[in-house]
Amino acid sequence: MPGMGVEVIKKIVVVGAGTMGHGIAQVCAMHGYDVVLIDIKDEILQKAMEKIKWSLNKFVEKKRIRPEQAEATFNRIKPTTKYEGYVEDADFAIEAVVERMDIKKLVFSKLDQLMPEHAILTSNTSSLSITEMGRATGRPDKVAGMHFFNPPQLMQLVEVIKGEDTSDETAQTVIELAKRLGKTPVLCKKDVRGFIVNRILMPVFADAFWALHKGETDIEAVDASLKYDVGFPMGIFELADYVGIDIIYEVGKVMYEAYGERAKPCPIVEELVKAGKLGQKAGAGFYDWSKGRPRIPFEKVGEWDTARTWAVAINEAAWIVHDDVAEPKDIDTAMKLGTGWPLGPCEQADKMGLDKVLAKLRELYNRYGLEMYKPCPLLEDYVAKGWTGRKAGRGFYTY
């Protein structure tokens, strides 16, 4: 079967019924697909089905779906601990197991052996190599990344990632499927660590972490300024606690390996991990969560230079464009939908003026000597050409 468009997809396998997996299964079932949900233990599957039921009831309460739709959705999901007898007639797979390459490769090779030749296999990984997973199968051209955001039932964004062997046709089918699931896909043209969203978030975190580490700012000054002045849904430290300091620590290691000194992690993260302060889930991280969500005082607004937060985000966005990983439009869509930012970094750059961004980066680089502040050659080039953004009629975008 040569070409496989999205029309062929009727049955989807989701492997891993944890936080993300059960949500992805629910989204697929809500959009009319038959779903096989696989995990290693019956208890995990039982819990997942209870969570799906709870979530569907919430949709009914909020009048987003009718009770009979909820019931039909629930019945389309078949939980199982076995692959054999369940996946041989499926057209598409989404792997959502733990972030360990050895386990992911086992899953991919198993799916590859059992699923039909036309089937596409995808991974919901947020940081590992799609190319490597694809090469654990006999169909690397039919393997791609399909990275949902948490919770998948509510978050609009899906990052679609091409591995080195992924065919254009496979990427296109994954994009089309994401749209059919009611999502907004963005294309990551290369298999780079961090894809789009995490790649931009990491330096934004690092910039604030280093400033705190050096005693130049306090947590609330950063968060109040970004929340109340810039309009981010959460401050940097609040978001870090929400994501989990342990997760930031792990992703940080992957990024450091991929990008070297440009992604040098701040020691403050490891210190928190060692102290067991992993964020919201542990009751403490940068903030104390024991009494619920921290109240960030409005009076601290303006005590942090928000232009530096934007400058590092814009610099990383420039690297993504420079390395031909994604288009400005996709970068901006990803950051707005994935993190709730009011503007994407490329739009913000064109609004601020690329010359101002460049000046801010040079100032930070001179002050700290950290590689993450070193301006991307693309920014230097655009400014030299007079492409300074909206006021010049051309920046990341043409006006």
Short mmCIF file of all heavy atoms in Angstrom, two decimals, residues 214-243:
data_model
loop_
_atom_site.label_atom_id
_atom_site.label_comp_id
_atom_site.label_asym_id
_atom_site.label_seq_id
_atom_site.Cartn_x
_atom_site.Cartn_y
_atom_site.Cartn_z
N LYS A 214 22.76 34.19 41.50
CA LYS A 214 23.78 35.22 41.75
C LYS A 214 23.28 36.28 42.74
O LYS A 214 23.97 37.26 43.01
CB LYS A 214 24.15 35.91 40.43
CG LYS A 214 24.94 35.04 39.47
CD LYS A 214 25.22 35.84 38.21
CE LYS A 214 26.21 35.30 37.23
NZ LYS A 214 26.45 33.94 37.06
N GLY A 215 22.05 36.10 43.25
CA GLY A 215 21.53 37.03 44.24
C GLY A 215 21.14 38.38 43.66
O GLY A 215 21.06 39.38 44.37
N GLU A 216 20.85 38.43 42.35
CA GLU A 216 20.52 39.71 41.70
C GLU A 216 19.03 40.01 41.69
O GLU A 216 18.62 41.09 41.31
CB GLU A 216 21.01 39.70 40.25
CG GLU A 216 22.49 39.62 40.13
CD GLU A 216 22.93 39.54 38.68
OE1 GLU A 216 22.08 39.36 37.78
OE2 GLU A 216 24.13 39.66 38.45
N THR A 217 18.23 39.01 42.03
CA THR A 217 16.79 39.22 41.99
C THR A 217 16.15 38.28 42.99
O THR A 217 16.83 37.43 43.58
CB THR A 217 16.23 38.94 40.58
OG1 THR A 217 14.84 39.34 40.55
CG2 THR A 217 16.28 37.47 40.20
N ASP A 218 14.84 38.44 43.19
CA ASP A 218 14.14 37.43 43.99
C ASP A 218 13.01 36.85 43.15
O ASP A 218 12.61 37.41 42.13
CB ASP A 218 13.65 38.02 45.32
CG ASP A 218 12.65 39.13 45.13
OD1 ASP A 218 11.47 38.84 44.88
OD2 ASP A 218 13.05 40.31 45.22
N ILE A 219 12.55 35.70 43.60
CA ILE A 219 11.56 34.91 42.87
C ILE A 219 10.32 35.73 42.52
O ILE A 219 9.85 35.74 41.38
CB ILE A 219 11.18 33.69 43.73
CG1 ILE A 219 12.37 32.73 43.82
CG2 ILE A 219 9.96 32.97 43.18
CD1 ILE A 219 12.20 31.63 44.84
N GLU A 220 9.81 36.46 43.50
CA GLU A 220 8.55 37.18 43.29
C GLU A 220 8.69 38.36 42.34
O GLU A 220 7.74 38.70 41.63
CB GLU A 220 7.98 37.62 44.64
CG GLU A 220 7.56 36.41 45.48
CD GLU A 220 7.05 36.80 46.86
OE1 GLU A 220 7.51 37.84 47.38
OE2 GLU A 220 6.20 36.07 47.40
N ALA A 221 9.87 38.99 42.32
CA ALA A 221 10.09 40.12 41.41
C ALA A 221 9.98 39.65 39.96
O ALA A 221 9.33 40.29 39.13
CB ALA A 221 11.47 40.73 41.65
N VAL A 222 10.60 38.51 39.66
CA VAL A 222 10.57 37.95 38.31
C VAL A 222 9.13 37.58 37.93
O VAL A 222 8.61 37.98 36.89
CB VAL A 222 11.47 36.69 38.21
CG1 VAL A 222 11.33 36.02 36.84
CG2 VAL A 222 12.93 37.05 38.49
N ASP A 223 8.48 36.82 38.83
CA ASP A 223 7.15 36.30 38.50
C ASP A 223 6.09 37.40 38.41
O ASP A 223 5.25 37.38 37.52
CB ASP A 223 6.75 35.22 39.51
CG ASP A 223 7.48 33.91 39.22
OD1 ASP A 223 8.33 33.90 38.31
OD2 ASP A 223 7.19 32.89 39.88
N ALA A 224 6.15 38.35 39.33
CA ALA A 224 5.16 39.44 39.29
C ALA A 224 5.31 40.24 37.99
O ALA A 224 4.32 40.56 37.33
CB ALA A 224 5.34 40.36 40.50
N SER A 225 6.55 40.54 37.61
CA SER A 225 6.78 41.35 36.40
C SER A 225 6.29 40.64 35.15
O SER A 225 5.66 41.25 34.28
CB SER A 225 8.27 41.70 36.27
OG SER A 225 8.71 42.37 37.44
N LEU A 226 6.57 39.35 35.05
CA LEU A 226 6.18 38.62 33.84
C LEU A 226 4.68 38.33 33.80
O LEU A 226 4.07 38.32 32.74
CB LEU A 226 6.99 37.33 33.72
CG LEU A 226 8.46 37.60 33.35
CD1 LEU A 226 9.31 36.37 33.55
CD2 LEU A 226 8.59 38.09 31.90
N LYS A 227 4.11 38.10 34.96
CA LYS A 227 2.69 37.78 35.03
C LYS A 227 1.82 39.01 34.82
O LYS A 227 0.93 39.02 33.97
CB LYS A 227 2.41 37.20 36.42
CG LYS A 227 1.55 35.98 36.41
CD LYS A 227 1.48 35.39 37.81
CE LYS A 227 0.09 34.89 38.02
NZ LYS A 227 0.03 33.68 38.80
N TYR A 228 2.09 40.05 35.60
CA TYR A 228 1.19 41.21 35.59
C TYR A 228 1.56 42.25 34.54
O TYR A 228 0.72 43.01 34.11
CB TYR A 228 1.14 41.85 36.98
CG TYR A 228 0.80 40.87 38.08
CD1 TYR A 228 1.60 40.76 39.22
CD2 TYR A 228 -0.33 40.04 37.98
CE1 TYR A 228 1.29 39.85 40.23
CE2 TYR A 228 -0.64 39.13 38.99
CZ TYR A 228 0.17 39.03 40.11
OH TYR A 228 -0.13 38.14 41.10
N ASP A 229 2.82 42.28 34.14
CA ASP A 229 3.24 43.30 33.19
C ASP A 229 3.25 42.75 31.76
O ASP A 229 2.71 43.35 30.85
CB ASP A 229 4.65 43.79 33.59
CG ASP A 229 5.01 45.08 32.87
OD1 ASP A 229 4.08 45.76 32.40
OD2 ASP A 229 6.21 45.39 32.78
N VAL A 230 3.85 41.56 31.59
CA VAL A 230 3.94 40.98 30.24
C VAL A 230 2.69 40.18 29.89
O VAL A 230 2.30 40.07 28.73
CB VAL A 230 5.21 40.09 30.14
CG1 VAL A 230 5.28 39.40 28.79
CG2 VAL A 230 6.46 40.93 30.37
N GLY A 231 2.05 39.59 30.90
CA GLY A 231 0.84 38.81 30.64
C GLY A 231 1.06 37.32 30.46
O GLY A 231 0.25 36.62 29.86
N PHE A 232 2.19 36.81 30.97
CA PHE A 232 2.37 35.35 30.97
C PHE A 232 1.37 34.75 31.96
O PHE A 232 1.12 35.35 33.01
CB PHE A 232 3.80 34.99 31.43
CG PHE A 232 4.89 35.21 30.41
CD1 PHE A 232 4.63 35.86 29.22
CD2 PHE A 232 6.17 34.75 30.65
CE1 PHE A 232 5.65 36.06 28.28
CE2 PHE A 232 7.20 34.95 29.72
CZ PHE A 232 6.93 35.61 28.54
N PRO A 233 0.81 33.57 31.64
CA PRO A 233 -0.17 32.97 32.57
C PRO A 233 0.45 32.60 33.92
O PRO A 233 -0.24 32.59 34.93
CB PRO A 233 -0.67 31.73 31.84
CG PRO A 233 0.16 31.56 30.64
CD PRO A 233 0.98 32.78 30.41
N MET A 234 1.74 32.29 33.92
CA MET A 234 2.42 31.97 35.17
C MET A 234 3.79 32.63 35.13
O MET A 234 4.37 32.81 34.07
CB MET A 234 2.69 30.46 35.28
CG MET A 234 1.52 29.62 35.66
SD MET A 234 2.11 27.94 35.99
CE MET A 234 0.54 27.10 36.07
N GLY A 235 4.30 32.95 36.33
CA GLY A 235 5.67 33.44 36.38
C GLY A 235 6.63 32.30 36.08
O GLY A 235 6.23 31.14 36.02
N ILE A 236 7.91 32.62 35.88
CA ILE A 236 8.91 31.59 35.53
C ILE A 236 9.07 30.55 36.65
O ILE A 236 9.10 29.36 36.41
CB ILE A 236 10.27 32.26 35.28
CG1 ILE A 236 10.10 33.31 34.19
CG2 ILE A 236 11.36 31.23 34.97
CD1 ILE A 236 10.78 33.17 32.94
N PHE A 237 9.18 31.04 37.88
CA PHE A 237 9.43 30.13 39.01
C PHE A 237 8.17 29.34 39.34
O PHE A 237 8.23 28.17 39.71
CB PHE A 237 9.95 30.90 40.22
CG PHE A 237 11.31 31.51 39.98
CD1 PHE A 237 11.45 32.86 39.70
CD2 PHE A 237 12.45 30.70 39.99
CE1 PHE A 237 12.71 33.41 39.44
CE2 PHE A 237 13.71 31.24 39.73
CZ PHE A 237 13.83 32.60 39.46
N GLU A 238 7.03 29.98 39.17
CA GLU A 238 5.75 29.31 39.38
C GLU A 238 5.59 28.19 38.34
O GLU A 238 5.21 27.06 38.67
CB GLU A 238 4.64 30.36 39.23
CG GLU A 238 3.26 29.89 39.60
CD GLU A 238 2.19 30.95 39.33
OE1 GLU A 238 2.48 32.01 38.72
OE2 GLU A 238 1.04 30.70 39.73
N LEU A 239 5.91 28.49 37.09
CA LEU A 239 5.83 27.50 36.02
C LEU A 239 6.82 26.35 36.26
O LEU A 239 6.48 25.18 36.08
CB LEU A 239 6.11 28.15 34.65
CG LEU A 239 6.08 27.22 33.43
CD1 LEU A 239 4.69 26.60 33.24
CD2 LEU A 239 6.49 27.96 32.16
N ALA A 240 8.02 26.69 36.71
CA ALA A 240 9.03 25.66 37.00
C ALA A 240 8.51 24.69 38.06
O ALA A 240 8.63 23.47 37.93
CB ALA A 240 10.32 26.31 37.46
N ASP A 241 7.90 25.23 39.11
CA ASP A 241 7.32 24.39 40.17
C ASP A 241 6.18 23.52 39.64
O ASP A 241 5.99 22.39 40.05
CB ASP A 241 6.80 25.26 41.32
CG ASP A 241 7.90 25.65 42.29
OD1 ASP A 241 9.04 25.16 42.14
OD2 ASP A 241 7.62 26.44 43.22
N TYR A 242 5.42 24.09 38.72
CA TYR A 242 4.28 23.39 38.14
C TYR A 242 4.76 22.24 37.25
O TYR A 242 4.25 21.13 37.31
CB TYR A 242 3.43 24.39 37.35
CG TYR A 242 2.23 23.79 36.70
CD1 TYR A 242 1.10 23.41 37.44
CD2 TYR A 242 2.19 23.59 35.31
CE1 TYR A 242 -0.02 22.86 36.83
CE2 TYR A 242 1.08 23.03 34.70
CZ TYR A 242 -0.02 22.67 35.47
OH TYR A 242 -1.12 22.10 34.86
N VAL A 243 5.78 22.51 36.44
CA VAL A 243 6.34 21.49 35.54
C VAL A 243 7.03 20.39 36.33
O VAL A 243 6.96 19.21 36.01
CB VAL A 243 7.35 22.14 34.56
CG1 VAL A 243 8.15 21.10 33.79
CG2 VAL A 243 6.63 23.07 33.58
#
